[in-house]
Amino acid sequence: MSKAMLIINPSSGKELGKKYAEFAEGTLAQRFATVDVRFTEKELDATEFARTASHEHYDAVVAMGGDGTVNEVITGIAEQDHRPTLGIVPLGTVNDLARALHIPTDARDAISVLEDAPIRPFDIGKYGSHYFMNVIAVGLIADAVEEVSVEQKTSLGSVAYFIEGLKAFKDHSPYPLILRAKEKTFDGETPLLIVSLTNSVGGFESFAKDARVDDGLLHVFLVKQLGFFDALQALPKLLTGDLSNADQIEYFTTTEVEIESDETLSINADGDTADELPITVRVLPQHLNVIAPTS
């Protein structure tokens, strides 16, 4: 008797969660014998619902909401003895994980995918007791995200982060960082560090163009100390994955990296301000399965 839990954030995507709830339930009913629909009301509801689905051996959990909702659902099923297959109906502004998995960003199209798309594995990341699905950032991106308003996100999408990123280059000094990985160490100043799991960061789908959702790797980008006009050249290369002639950017892959600083610095995890340094980031390779097209 197969069963799925549909977790809906009713406030996401201009309340598209409410609009498409019935259609999503009906679509899942074509694949699963039982569909349990739950609406979130407050922060961490999605995590609790997903954890219940793990403990009660649901076959699938479908997150219908923005990146925050998806992150909460992943947190609820990660490292559980039984991990239901994940489904995603993206209703957020950027929807990086959905983009990396080739899941349509149109809600109705994404729901239709759930009926018969294959199941495939993907990596997630972990730092401390927390999980992330896409990116850890330290430095100007973390600062820039704090400055992006809801109105900017709605009207400009990923371009808003680019604009605020340039402002951060201009207005902030570099940050002292220490990195330790098997492949590389660094002790110096940098305006930006990014640790990515996928090719899509901030809506730029060619960011880490060699990254695959199931490659078992962290893709680390370290921007060297730059002036503002150097940043004008470096940022577009970083965001489009064109690093062939980008002397200002160091790139390497690893499975675990320690990050610390002499200053008090916050990290940004999947678009939200999270813990302060120091942290150890590691990949959990092919840890979860997802309903998603192969291309």
Side-chain angles (χ1 to χ4, degrees):
M1 190 78 166
S2 62
K3 56 182 179 179
M5 181 181 290
L6 173 60
I7 300 174
I8 302 172
N9 182 340
S11 61
S12 289
K14 298 180 180 179
E15 301 190 348
L16 286 178
K18 291 179 181 178
K19 178 179 178 181
Y20 287 115
E22 186 175 342
F23 177 52
E25 182 179 5
T27 300
L28 287 170
Q30 302 299 311
R31 188 166 188 161
F32 301 95
T34 302
V35 180
D36 177 9
V37 181
R38 310 252 180 133
F39 288 92
T40 64
E41 296 180 356
K42 61 184 184 301
E43 188 178 4
L44 298 182
D45 275 355
T47 296
E48 291 305 313
F49 294 156
R51 189 167 290 131
T52 295
S54 293
H55 295 167
E56 297 182 4
H57 289 257
Y58 278 68
D59 297 282
V61 174
V62 176
M64 193 169 175
D67 285 340
T69 302
V70 177
N71 184 287
E72 283 195 20
V73 169
I74 285 175
T75 297
I77 63 179
E79 297 192 290
Q80 297 292 326
D81 292 336
H82 171 75
R83 297 190 287 274
T85 294
L86 178 69
I88 300 173
V89 179
L91 302 179
T93 304
V94 178
N95 306 309
D96 273 320
L97 181 59
R99 292 175 186 273
L101 291 166
H102 306 294
I103 294 171
T105 54
D106 176 81
R108 179 171 285 275
D109 291 344
I111 292 168
S112 297
V113 162
L114 297 171
E115 184 173 351
D116 55 12
I119 295 172
R120 56 194 185 104
F122 73 105
D123 308 330
I124 63 170
K126 185 176 183 181
Y127 61 99
S129 60
H130 305 288
Y131 303 94
F132 69 101
M133 59 194 182
N134 197 62
V135 66
I136 296 285
V138 182
L140 72 91
I141 292 293
D143 292 338
V145 167
E146 288 292 302
E147 299 300 324
V148 176
S149 67
V150 173
E151 291 77 14
Q152 282 179 300
K153 288 182 183 180
T154 302
S155 62
L156 298 175
S158 56
V159 176
Y161 296 106
F162 180 81
I163 293 170
E164 293 299 334
L166 285 176
K167 290 181 184 177
F169 260 120
K170 181 180 166 183
D171 298 337
H172 293 270
S173 300
Y175 307 85
L177 280 185
I178 301 170
L179 265 71
R180 298 186 188 92
K182 183 173 64 176
E183 297 79 3
K184 183 176 180 61
T185 59
F186 172 82
D187 185 348
E189 292 189 329
T190 175
L192 172 63
L193 169 72
I194 288 179
V195 181
S196 179
L197 285 168
T198 76
N199 65 302
S200 181
V201 173
F204 293 90
E205 295 180 48
S206 297
F207 181 88
K209 61 183 180 182
D210 294 328
R212 301 292 178 265
V213 293
D214 59 353
D215 62 13
L217 295 171
L218 300 170
H219 296 258
V220 183
F221 299 84
L222 182 68
V223 179
K224 300 175 185 178
Q225 186 169 342
L226 301 175
F228 178 66
F229 291 104
D230 292 324
L232 286 173
Q233 292 181 315
L235 261 186
K237 292 179 180 179
L238 181 66
L239 295 171
T240 60
D242 179 20
L243 302 179
S244 56
N245 296 310
D247 295 335
Q248 310 97 329
I249 301 166
E250 287 197 43
Y251 165 72
F252 68 96
T253 60
T254 186
T255 57
E256 182 172 308
V257 59
E258 299 176 10
I259 309 168
E260 61 181 85
S261 177
D262 294 333
E263 294 185 4
T264 300
L265 294 179
S266 296
I267 69 166
N268 184 279
D270 288 340
D272 291 319
T273 301
D275 285 7
E276 294 181 347
L277 297 180
I279 60 169
T280 297
V281 183
R282 63 188 179 94
V283 65
L284 302 181
Q286 300 188 18
H287 186 71
L288 298 179
N289 289 318
V290 63
I291 301 170
T294 54
S295 61

